[in-house]
Amino acid sequence: MLYPELFKQLESVRWDMEKDIPWAQFDPAKLTDEQAQTIKMNAITEWAALPATEMFLRDNRDDSDFSAFMSIWFFEEQKHSLVLMEYLKRFRPDLAPTEQELHDIRFEFDPAPALETLMLHFCGEIRLNHWYRRAAEWHTEPVIKHIYTTLSQDEARHGGAYLRYMKRAITKFGDEARSAFAKVGVLMASARRTAQALHPTNLHVNKALFPNDTIQSRLPDPAWLEHWLDKQIAFDAAWEGKVVERILHNLSLLMDSSFKSVQELNRFRKSLSVGGSALPSTA
């Protein structure tokens, strides 16, 4: 089982919200209204760990090891939402999310193949690590810069934990897992070809609720994410290239191969004899 070891590893580097966040360094002159609004949207988005955990536990009933790991992931992801809300409550209480705004993004996701979902969230952690690194650079207020750097490091560790479970899946399922991971990898490394941000919170997950079936569509400002990425933190082609590079690098190690481009990964996917289920919808 991976859960006991992952628990020890993540416990050893876990940060304390009171002791490790430099609240006393807050500089009100360096926090703009525009920046504070983005913190609210991020706080609500991070709350999406709640419906995501419900999905993971439902779709992994046959995997108690991974389900136990969800106790760590859920705790740390909810703490991300909590620390952003704490920041707003301390310094911009007028923008703190309401309980209803948080509850609005809790809805049921359609059942999905566990291997595809695992890969989707692995890529999501890589992307969020880079988004938050860029956010830390964009913000000017010292405390929130520190918070975003802290969150980005957590997301990187979560990606590493998901990778451990992906390695285990290849040992257990062979080409079925390779096919699933390569298929979703092609999707998640192809953001330059799509108009939307490729992250789990921005993908459609409930056909009955379409088009109001993404986390982002249920935010107080549904258009926030694209504006934050394009106009505020300026997540440009160079930064997107870093995300793609990390996805391809990790898949190369995972598959014992070498993928220099999405095209090479796609050719590898097609070469596998095991067929998989449909890619997550990006309609």
Side-chain angles (χ1 to χ4, degrees):
M1 293 178 66
L2 298 176
Y3 166 67
E5 182 183 349
L6 289 170
F7 182 92
K8 291 178 183 178
Q9 291 176 353
L10 294 174
E11 181 88 350
S12 69
V13 293
R14 184 165 297 140
W15 49 275
D16 183 282
M17 188 154 62
E18 290 300 320
K19 299 176 182 177
D20 297 324
I21 304 299
W23 300 109
Q25 296 179 18
F26 176 70
D27 185 346
K30 294 184 178 180
L31 177 65
T32 67
D33 287 345
E34 177 189 25
Q35 291 169 336
Q37 288 283 354
T38 71
I39 298 167
K40 174 177 181 174
M41 295 301 109
N42 255 323
I44 299 173
T45 299
E46 284 283 358
W47 192 263
L50 173 54
T53 299
E54 292 172 324
M55 169 202 67
F56 273 125
L57 293 177
R58 179 198 64 200
D59 295 342
N60 289 274
R61 286 196 181 99
D62 61 341
D63 189 345
S64 291
D65 183 8
F66 181 77
S67 296
F69 167 69
M70 280 294 104
S71 68
I72 306 173
W73 183 80
F74 181 43
F75 172 79
E76 294 192 349
E77 291 289 345
Q78 287 295 120
K79 190 166 71 167
H80 293 178
S81 181
L82 192 61
V83 73
L84 293 170
M85 288 192 285
E86 178 66 20
Y87 181 89
L88 293 172
K89 287 177 181 177
R90 287 176 183 242
F91 309 127
R92 284 299 305 267
D94 56 308
L95 291 178
T98 66
E99 184 174 352
Q100 186 60 50
E101 286 174 327
L102 297 172
H103 186 67
D104 284 344
I105 66 165
R106 186 185 183 187
F107 64 101
E108 187 172 4
F109 300 173
D110 286 340
L115 293 173
E116 278 88 340
T117 301
L118 176 60
M119 178 61 184
L120 187 70
H121 280 261
F122 168 70
C123 294
E125 301 287 7
I126 292 177
R127 190 171 296 282
L128 204 52
N129 164 263
H130 287 76
W131 284 357
Y132 284 169
R133 286 165 55 191
R134 187 68 193 98
E137 294 179 359
W138 174 67
H139 276 279
T140 49
E141 197 287 307
V143 178
I144 197 62
K145 288 174 72 71
H146 181 95
I147 289 174
Y148 273 115
T149 297
T150 299
L151 301 192
S152 74
Q153 293 166 347
D154 273 1
E155 305 299 2
R157 285 189 286 268
H158 294 167
Y162 281 135
L163 187 62
R164 295 280 302 277
Y165 281 103
M166 290 163 66
K167 290 178 180 177
R168 187 193 65 165
I170 287 180
T171 299
K172 187 174 182 180
F173 299 110
D175 278 355
E176 180 186 354
R178 293 185 183 91
S179 179
F181 298 156
K183 183 170 51 178
V184 177
V186 169
L187 167 71
M188 296 301 283
S190 299
R192 291 178 225 180
R193 304 179 187 179
T194 67
Q196 71 181 121
L198 293 181
H199 184 268
T201 62
N202 206 37
L203 299 179
H204 293 284
V205 293
N206 187 316
K207 291 181 180 179
L209 298 175
F210 182 85
N212 192 32
D213 65 328
T214 71
I215 296 298
Q216 298 300 330
S217 69
R218 291 168 171 255
L219 295 183
D221 178 9
W224 161 75
L225 181 60
E226 266 70 23
H227 182 71
W228 182 66
L229 292 170
D230 297 339
K231 306 298 182 182
Q232 294 175 321
I233 69 171
F235 202 81
D236 57 18
W239 275 94
E240 181 58 36
K242 295 179 182 181
V243 172
V244 173
E245 180 183 346
R246 295 313 301 167
I247 292 174
L248 294 176
H249 172 74
N250 281 287
L251 283 180
S252 295
L253 295 177
L254 195 65
M255 309 292 190
D256 193 23
S257 189
S258 177
F259 308 122
K260 301 297 184 184
S261 67
V262 178
Q263 290 75 19
E264 289 184 6
L265 176 60
N266 197 35
R267 284 195 290 271
F268 174 83
R269 177 189 67 84
K270 292 178 179 179
S271 74
L272 295 171
S273 59
V274 178
S277 45
L279 284 169
S281 171
T282 58

